[in-house]
Amino acid sequence: MLHTTAILAMSADGKLTDYSKAPSSFVSKDDQDHLEQQVSRADAVLFGAGTLRAYGTTMTVRKPHLIQERLDRQQPEQPLQIVCSKSADLDSSYSFFSQATPRGLLTDAAGAEKWADRPEFDLVLAAVDPFDWRVIFGELEDLGIQSIALLGGGQLAGSIFDAGLVNELWLTICPLILGNTTAPTPVAGNGFLIQHAPKLQLIESVSVNDEVYLHYRVEALRDVNPV
């Protein structure tokens, strides 16, 4: 079975960024190193179009020892970077398209047609809207992908939690308070009633300077009933 690890960061009061919804800039170099380490273990990285538009790039594996560890595991130097966008409205001038990594696009049939026979993506998957994540993950597994690093944004993370397909969660707690009811959170979407919410089992916690890294196992969902 394909194994999915969500790797998310938030302020101490649970916000992904501030109420202006500007790209998050509060994560530290330590968190960036942590993210790279987690990404280096995955066969593929999955993130939303909003995340790509905010930063223009994705997290690749840069440290030589992490690349060598991938090669030792018979993985390619870089994981497949998959951007999820139903509209497929992406700017080909993003630095993402010049990064030395294989790229994939998950979209619908109309979006796939926009990028057909173009060099920007090594893989284009056309899914039926609304996305059935169990079907999509099955297709990825058929392509030989056994592990995914899920980087967000909130809507994408929420939909995959909703499908019961997140196995682990790495959550970085960053030392600041952002407030505001409209500021985005790491997991969005419809949400869950308390009795049906995904349950977490803490595997480890690590404190680095003023940040805390929490590693959870996500229990299998039963009788999911989002609001």
Side-chain angles (χ1 to χ4, degrees):
M1 288 289 293
L2 194 154
H3 190 92
T4 303
T5 302
I7 308 158
L8 308 173
M10 66 181 191
S11 65
D13 61 331
K15 305 299 183 180
L16 183 63
T17 186
D18 62 30
Y19 62 83
S20 74
K21 299 179 176 59
S24 174
S25 60
F26 56 75
V27 294
S28 68
K29 182 182 182 302
D30 292 324
D31 188 54
Q32 291 293 302
D33 290 343
H34 168 76
L35 176 59
E36 182 182 359
Q37 184 179 50
Q38 300 307 316
V39 163
S40 75
R41 297 171 178 169
D43 293 325
V45 178
L46 181 62
F47 53 97
T51 299
L52 178 58
R53 294 185 188 108
Y55 299 100
T57 62
T58 189
M59 172 58 74
T60 58
V61 184
R62 295 161 294 179
K63 293 183 175 59
H65 75 279
L66 294 177
I67 293 174
Q68 186 58 54
E69 287 174 6
R70 288 183 61 83
L71 296 175
D72 291 344
R73 293 191 297 265
Q74 271 106 56
Q75 290 175 299
E77 286 192 11
Q78 297 291 331
L80 175 66
Q81 300 278 348
I82 305 173
V83 57
C84 176
S85 175
K86 291 181 181 179
S87 71
D89 184 16
L90 304 170
D91 188 342
S92 61
S93 68
Y94 290 147
S95 297
F96 168 68
F97 290 106
S98 61
Q99 289 181 282
T101 185
R103 286 175 289 276
L105 171 65
L106 173 61
T107 184
D108 62 16
E113 188 174 350
K114 292 180 184 179
W115 293 90
D117 303 318
R118 292 181 56 170
E120 288 89 350
F121 288 105
D122 302 280
L123 172 70
V124 177
L125 289 177
V128 176
D129 188 14
F131 287 178
D132 184 330
W133 285 106
R134 292 190 175 276
V135 171
I136 292 168
F137 275 29
E139 293 177 356
L140 292 174
E141 195 170 5
D142 288 343
L143 293 171
I145 294 172
Q146 298 179 356
S147 56
I148 285 180
L150 172 61
L151 306 190
Q155 292 292 335
L156 178 61
S159 67
I160 297 178
F161 269 104
D162 185 33
L165 294 173
V166 179
N167 303 101
E168 292 183 67
L169 167 65
W170 271 104
L171 182 62
T172 303
I173 310 298
C174 300
L176 77 168
I177 300 291
L178 292 175
N180 195 280
T181 58
T182 65
T185 59
V187 178
N190 292 329
F192 297 89
L193 295 171
I194 290 175
Q195 62 267 35
H196 300 293
K199 302 299 190 298
L200 306 178
Q201 177 185 357
L202 184 64
I203 300 172
E204 61 181 309
S205 61
V206 180
S207 177
V208 180
N209 295 319
D210 293 323
E211 290 176 335
V212 180
Y213 302 86
L214 302 175
H215 186 195
Y216 293 99
R217 180 180 295 112
V218 183
E219 296 181 5
L221 292 185
R222 298 177 180 86
D223 190 25
V224 174
N225 182 27
V227 173

